[in-house]
Amino acid sequence: MNILPTVSILVISFNQERFIRDALESALDQDYENLEVIVADDASRDGTQAIIRLLRNYGSRVKYRHEIAGYNSRLDEMQAAFLRVKLKHLEQWNTQRREQAATYMQALSGKQGLTLPVVPEWTVPVWHLFVVRTTRRDTLQAWLHEAGIQTQIHYPIPPHLQGAYRHSGIAQEGSLPLTEVLHREVLSLPLGVHLAQEQQQQVIDRILAWQSE
């Protein structure tokens, strides 16, 4: 069965007549199930183009800051093609992530001031992230950064305090106290198929050294 793709030509200006013509001619030469074209004649910060760009990217102009409630609509045909090839490796990569998570759990379990993820017996997580908690989060992150170890904070602004939810009735400090505590304590450690065993051990050793400080 031949499944025809859906293609969107997104956010182009009336002033870019040649671009519009070339894009449409190229698209119409192909067979598509749906062809969507959005044309906007403004480039202002709050105009139609800007709003559409926000909507397709979680309502975000800057990473982790969401001005409006949006969508995750960033998968184009080229990325889909790459992911289709990668899909055959998914189970192998998930297994590797589970092994890395198990290594962290074994090495860091019971260490004072560090809370590890809790995994119910009935789950088999794929560990998109490995997130630890500590009241000294910023200190730990800086300590790891000094050794060239990158970490991430997912997410630095609690969802209810994002601009996208300013009219929700809970968009003020103290309305979700547990969420606000967690967002000050969480830190995502390196994890993934790019991480060699030696590199993960360096992360562990650095964390253990931080605890002894």
Side-chain angles (χ1 to χ4, degrees):
M1 181 176 62
N2 183 25
I3 300 177
L4 299 178
T6 294
V7 170
S8 298
I9 301 176
L10 186 62
V11 190
I12 46 184
S13 168
F14 288 141
N15 297 325
Q16 297 174 301
E17 295 179 4
R18 180 176 178 182
F19 175 80
I20 295 172
R21 184 178 63 252
D22 291 347
L24 286 175
E25 288 177 354
S26 175
L28 292 173
D29 284 339
Q30 309 296 322
D31 291 325
Y32 296 116
E33 181 179 14
N34 293 299
L35 176 61
E36 302 168 359
V37 181
I38 298 176
V39 181
D41 191 26
D42 64 74
S44 64
R45 179 176 178 83
D46 299 317
T48 304
Q49 287 193 36
I51 295 301
I52 293 173
R53 291 184 189 278
L54 283 173
L55 285 172
R56 71 187 290 267
N57 185 38
Y58 299 113
S60 176
R61 225 183 300 251
V62 178
K63 190 173 183 179
Y64 299 141
R65 295 183 179 274
H66 305 276
E67 302 172 33
I68 61 176
Y71 306 89
N72 182 5
S73 301
R74 301 172 297 174
L75 183 64
D76 59 38
E77 288 70 24
M78 183 65 74
Q79 293 181 66
F82 288 133
L83 291 174
R84 185 176 181 181
V85 174
K86 288 184 174 183
L87 191 60
K88 68 182 70 174
H89 305 289
L90 182 61
E91 189 53 45
Q92 173 191 344
W93 290 345
N94 284 344
T95 298
Q96 185 173 342
R97 299 175 82 92
R98 293 187 189 105
E99 292 172 351
Q100 292 173 348
T103 298
Y104 277 137
M105 296 289 269
Q106 181 177 4
L108 302 176
S109 179
K111 303 304 179 184
Q112 186 175 4
L114 199 65
T115 302
L116 302 182
V118 175
V119 182
E121 293 181 1
W122 49 268
T123 64
V124 184
V126 295
W127 296 101
H128 166 57
L129 301 171
F130 190 90
V131 183
V132 299
R133 288 177 54 195
T134 173
T135 56
R136 301 167 57 202
R137 189 268 308 279
D138 294 342
T139 303
L140 174 58
Q141 185 177 41
W143 176 262
L144 293 171
H145 180 74
E146 289 176 4
I149 298 171
Q150 183 181 23
T151 58
Q152 291 286 339
I153 297 173
H154 297 94
Y155 295 88
I157 303 175
H160 66 290
L161 298 182
Q162 294 281 355
Y165 300 108
R166 58 189 175 277
H167 304 304
S168 65
I170 57 171
Q172 58 271 339
E173 291 277 357
S175 58
L176 296 178
L178 179 56
T179 297
E180 292 166 25
V181 168
L182 290 173
H183 108 273
R184 290 192 294 267
E185 296 182 355
V186 294
L187 187 67
S188 299
L189 301 183
L191 186 84
V193 296
H194 62 282
L195 188 67
Q197 291 182 357
E198 298 79 8
Q199 293 173 318
Q200 184 178 20
Q201 190 58 52
Q202 291 174 6
V203 177
I204 293 169
D205 292 343
R206 186 68 175 174
I207 293 174
L208 296 178
W210 167 76
Q211 287 190 310
S212 64
E213 285 289 306

